[in-house]
Amino acid sequence: MKEPNKGGGFWNNLRQGGMPSAIASMRGGESAQQTAQQMAFIRSLMREKRRPEVLLTPLSKLEIVIFDLETTGFSHQHGDEILSFGAVKVVGEEIKEDEYFYSLVKCQSAIPANITELTGITQEMTREAPTLMDALHNFMSFVGQNVLVAHASAHDKSFLNAALWKTSKVQLTNRVLDTMMLAKWLEPERGNYGLDELLASHGIPIYGRHNALEDSKMTAKLWVSYLREIAKRRQVDTLGDLYAYLSRV
């Protein structure tokens, strides 16, 4: 049997780990098409108008997504990136433990040593992780049009907005609530509104801190604890009521 030509061509490219240009172009085309579809989905999701009737939803029936992001630093304007997404769904006071989302993100820059120490996420862990577009698309598919909740949400919201703009040239249109704002309204006498302090004071076990999914689950328990306290006050029944009270904080 005649040996394949060793000088070049299809077999030699495969043997050396390369790929003929026609196949590479086809793969590149598939990737570009997938990215375009993901971008179109995100843009479509962000174009959907907020439904005003959601404001009439009783908090006891409200479906939300509690989320957290781990990042390489505190300033996306200076090149810091999202390292991971974590989220869990909650309906009323029920945490849907089996409806959760977690994804690492391929990091384009070096992860600072102090961030690796804090989060446990290493450069090696992100090398085979989904791209920002892939992870963001999957996260937004999980979120849909639901209200988002985070603790100290300004940080997470700013990074999420930066990622949406970078990949799809859109801004977040989901409503966002902040458990820190809830704490300031319900516990105005406090001096510290950090997540660890609030979890401890509400008897919520602290574990896996600075893992995006575990932080989301603990924040979900804090959210439920506050919902129960709100129910006792009988001042707030719907999402609209809650917004009205938080606007005064």
Side-chain angles (χ1 to χ4, degrees):
M1 182 176 179
K2 186 177 178 180
E3 185 177 357
N5 188 333
K6 294 182 180 180
F10 182 84
W11 295 108
N12 196 50
N13 277 325
L14 287 183
R15 186 181 295 110
Q16 295 178 9
M19 185 174 292
S21 59
I23 293 180
S25 297
M26 183 172 67
R27 287 279 180 89
E30 290 173 353
S31 177
Q33 182 180 16
Q34 180 181 357
T35 298
Q37 290 172 343
Q38 291 171 330
M39 186 185 299
F41 169 79
I42 290 173
R43 286 179 171 176
S44 173
L45 193 62
M46 293 303 100
R47 275 198 303 266
E48 289 187 28
K49 293 182 179 179
R50 291 181 175 182
R51 295 170 294 158
E53 63 270 20
V54 172
L55 295 173
L56 302 177
T57 305
L59 294 176
S60 60
K61 297 180 180 178
L62 182 66
E63 182 173 335
I64 64 167
V65 173
I66 296 185
F67 80 106
D68 181 66
L69 307 178
E70 294 303 329
T71 60
T72 60
F74 298 99
S75 176
H76 60 82
Q77 296 96 330
H78 293 100
D80 288 322
E81 302 175 43
I82 296 174
L83 284 174
S84 63
F85 291 85
V88 62
K89 288 187 178 177
V90 179
V91 179
E93 296 182 6
E94 182 184 1
I95 300 171
K96 301 286 188 178
E97 295 280 358
D98 57 343
E99 295 186 46
Y100 64 88
F101 178 88
Y102 181 77
S103 178
L104 289 171
V105 181
K106 184 177 290 185
C107 192
Q108 301 301 313
S109 57
I111 301 174
N114 65 311
I115 297 298
T116 291
E117 184 178 354
L118 184 70
T119 66
I121 300 173
T122 65
Q123 202 81 46
E124 290 72 23
M125 290 168 66
T126 72
R127 286 199 179 111
E128 300 302 319
T131 63
L132 177 61
M133 173 59 95
D134 287 341
L136 182 62
H137 170 267
N138 294 338
F139 173 73
M140 294 310 301
S141 297
F142 178 79
V143 171
Q145 284 291 305
N146 286 319
V147 174
L148 286 165
V149 175
H151 189 76
S153 64
H155 171 81
D156 302 279
K157 186 177 178 180
S158 68
F159 271 86
L160 188 51
N161 262 324
L164 286 165
W165 186 256
K166 180 178 180 180
T167 61
S168 308
K169 296 297 182 285
V170 293
Q171 294 285 297
L172 185 70
T173 56
N174 297 67
R175 291 183 171 87
V176 181
L177 287 168
D178 192 332
T179 45
M180 181 181 284
M181 293 299 291
L182 277 178
K184 288 180 177 180
W185 170 45
L186 296 169
E187 304 178 77
E189 72 288 350
R190 277 192 176 279
N192 187 328
Y193 293 96
L195 184 58
D196 291 285
E197 167 125 347
L198 292 174
L199 292 172
S201 69
H202 286 260
I204 299 169
I206 299 173
Y207 56 89
R209 278 288 278 122
H210 302 293
N211 171 282
L213 179 57
E214 298 304 334
D215 280 359
S216 296
K217 289 180 176 179
M218 289 184 283
T219 302
K221 292 178 181 177
L222 183 63
W223 165 264
V224 169
S225 178
Y226 283 138
L227 281 189
R228 289 171 180 162
E229 188 170 337
I230 290 169
K232 292 176 186 176
R233 298 191 174 205
R234 299 180 182 178
Q235 303 160 297
V236 175
D237 180 51
T238 68
L239 178 61
D241 294 337
L242 182 59
Y243 273 117
Y245 274 89
L246 291 180
S247 68
R248 304 171 192 171
V249 176

